[in-house]
Amino acid sequence: MGVENVAEDIRSMKIRGAGRIARQAAEALMNLVDGYEGDSLDDLKNELEKGREILLSSRPTAVSLWNGVQAVLKGYRKASNLDDLKDLVKENGERFMERSNRATEVIGEMGARRVNDGDRILTHCNSSVALSVIKTAFREGKDIEVFVTESRPWRQGLITVRELAEEGVPVTLIVDSAVRWIMKDIDLVLVGADTITSNGAVINKIGTSQIALVAHEARVPFVVCAETYKFSPMTLTGKPVEIEERGSEEVAGPGELPNTVKVLNPVFDATPPEYIDYIVTEIGLIPPSASYEVIVRMLGQEFLFEYEDW
Ligand code: RUB
């Protein structure tokens, strides 16, 4: 798929979830160089720059998109001929895809070590990385049961319950407001992340922070499952994470409300580090306070300063 189509599908939520968004954007840039039939190095560089901007403007919150795009374009400005530029983008892209897929697997394996036989797990929305942990634990023969929030307004919880039911995992759907009611029966909360800031706050689907608060109150471990490209280099430089607000029609249909009623539809929220027990990454289980280290070591300052929009 081309850049414009991928950006449109991300905007309209056909492509969703922070990891998928990043991988599809990476693929779109690889396709762009693959399909380029011109013979101008500068022209292809301009196309890549335009593609980058179009992709980055599709959704504002998940830093995985920014990190994925940067990983594919790393060093492209220095390419001195067309073939080198095409090879560089393809190699970078393949490396990123491999890293992303492998990270999901590794996090599944490491996270599953902390899942005990008999655990009742609560998850929110639809995170492929949190699901990797759950599925790995189940495939290892652990007797687990999963409770999934509906996740209004898009109801991504329905995708999660279907996916788990297909695996044979015992799964129950609950409405978002039932979280505190169910928490007394839960042993472990597992969620994904769209962005993790340099101070260890986790930005994920709206409602995540309420779940963290309730888990904290009930002394239930609250665990985030996220690849290192969900950590935000920009937060090191003081840039706040933009919380996406989507249209009112996602919350209430036409004619359902008097026209004096306003609707607010923020789709992500921030969970403070003090409510997070640990973050499972592909480089290990880390406390939220290690986020600064992850950003500096894994993403690097040079990488960051290659672009103006950090
Ligand atoms: C999805 C969501 C997911 C994270 C992590 O929100 O909040 O928990 O993106 O997903 P949306 P993953 O449906 O609005 O994109 O672990 O798959 O990267």
Side-chain angles (χ1 to χ4, degrees):
M1 267 212 292
V3 161
E4 300 271 2
N5 291 337
V6 168
E8 184 43 40
D9 283 0
I10 293 175
R11 203 170 293 122
S12 65
M13 306 267 291
K14 263 192 212 133
I15 301 170
R16 46 145 304 282
R20 270 185 221 103
I21 289 173
R23 284 189 296 273
Q24 298 270 353
E27 240 172 45
L29 290 170
M30 290 159 79
N31 291 343
L32 192 158
V33 294
D34 233 9
Y36 182 75
E37 284 171 354
D39 56 6
S40 159
L41 176 68
D42 287 341
D43 184 43
L44 181 55
K45 283 186 181 175
N46 284 339
E47 290 292 310
L48 284 168
E49 193 54 47
K50 261 196 275 167
R52 171 178 183 271
E53 274 162 32
I54 292 168
L55 289 164
L56 293 185
S57 66
S58 60
R59 278 190 91 182
T61 303
V63 76
S64 54
L65 176 61
W66 194 89
N67 280 329
V69 165
Q70 307 308 83
V72 178
L73 295 184
K74 192 169 191 304
Y76 89 95
R77 283 181 181 159
K78 290 185 201 129
S80 54
N81 71 62
L82 204 54
D83 287 339
D84 285 356
L85 176 57
K86 289 184 175 183
D87 289 347
L88 176 93
V89 170
K90 280 189 257 174
E91 278 163 27
N92 280 350
E94 274 155 22
R95 203 175 310 118
F96 177 73
M97 301 295 265
E98 198 185 309
R99 174 182 161 198
S100 172
N101 291 323
R102 181 78 188 121
T104 306
E105 261 172 49
V106 171
I107 293 170
E109 284 162 29
M110 292 199 288
R113 294 189 183 132
R114 291 298 185 93
V115 174
N116 297 314
D117 205 37
D119 271 358
R120 279 153 307 180
I121 299 167
L122 175 71
T123 189
H124 184 48
C125 193
N126 177 254
S127 156
S128 53
V129 189
L131 282 176
S132 171
V133 173
I134 294 171
K135 287 181 192 172
T136 307
F138 184 73
R139 286 175 194 158
E140 285 169 352
K142 287 177 184 159
D143 173 24
I144 55 171
E145 191 181 351
V146 182
F147 293 82
V148 181
T149 51
E150 182 188 12
S151 312
R152 282 268 298 153
W154 271 82
R155 308 181 83 206
Q156 292 93 329
L158 271 62
I159 308 173
T160 301
V161 290
R162 280 191 212 110
E163 218 177 307
L164 290 173
E166 250 166 53
E167 271 290 312
V169 180
V171 60
T172 304
L173 182 71
I174 58 168
V175 295
D176 300 324
S177 43
V179 163
R180 189 158 182 256
W181 185 86
I182 201 80
M183 196 57 81
K184 62 184 181 319
D185 301 321
I186 298 295
D187 301 294
L188 177 67
V189 178
L190 291 174
V191 297
D194 284 80
T195 292
I196 302 177
T197 67
S198 57
N199 75 339
V202 167
I203 321 298
N204 191 49
K205 180 55 53 194
I206 190 81
T208 302
S209 67
Q210 280 175 192
I211 299 174
L213 208 64
V214 170
H216 184 76
E217 178 197 43
R219 305 278 184 271
V220 173
F222 182 91
V223 174
V224 176
C225 311
E227 311 89 317
T228 48
Y229 62 86
K230 307 271 178 70
F231 289 73
S232 165
M234 293 88 121
T235 57
L236 264 187
T237 67
K239 217 174 173 186
V241 179
E242 183 182 340
I243 300 291
E244 179 183 9
E245 283 190 34
R246 295 182 65 91
S248 59
E249 71 288 349
E250 294 184 352
V251 178
E256 269 191 284
L257 299 171
N259 54 19
T260 50
V261 174
K262 291 188 225 154
V263 174
L264 256 188
N265 184 18
V267 297
F268 298 102
D269 66 19
T271 301
E274 53 273 29
Y275 297 113
I276 299 165
D277 285 83
Y278 55 92
I279 305 172
V280 190
T281 75
E282 74 275 21
I283 55 164
L285 275 59
I286 63 159
S289 56
S291 297
Y292 168 82
E293 281 289 308
V294 172
I295 294 169
V296 172
R297 284 190 193 193
M298 300 296 293
L299 305 171
Q301 305 249 352
E302 282 163 43
F303 180 40
L304 175 65
F305 296 128
E306 212 172 303
Y307 290 89
E308 287 92 42
D309 62 351
W310 52 267

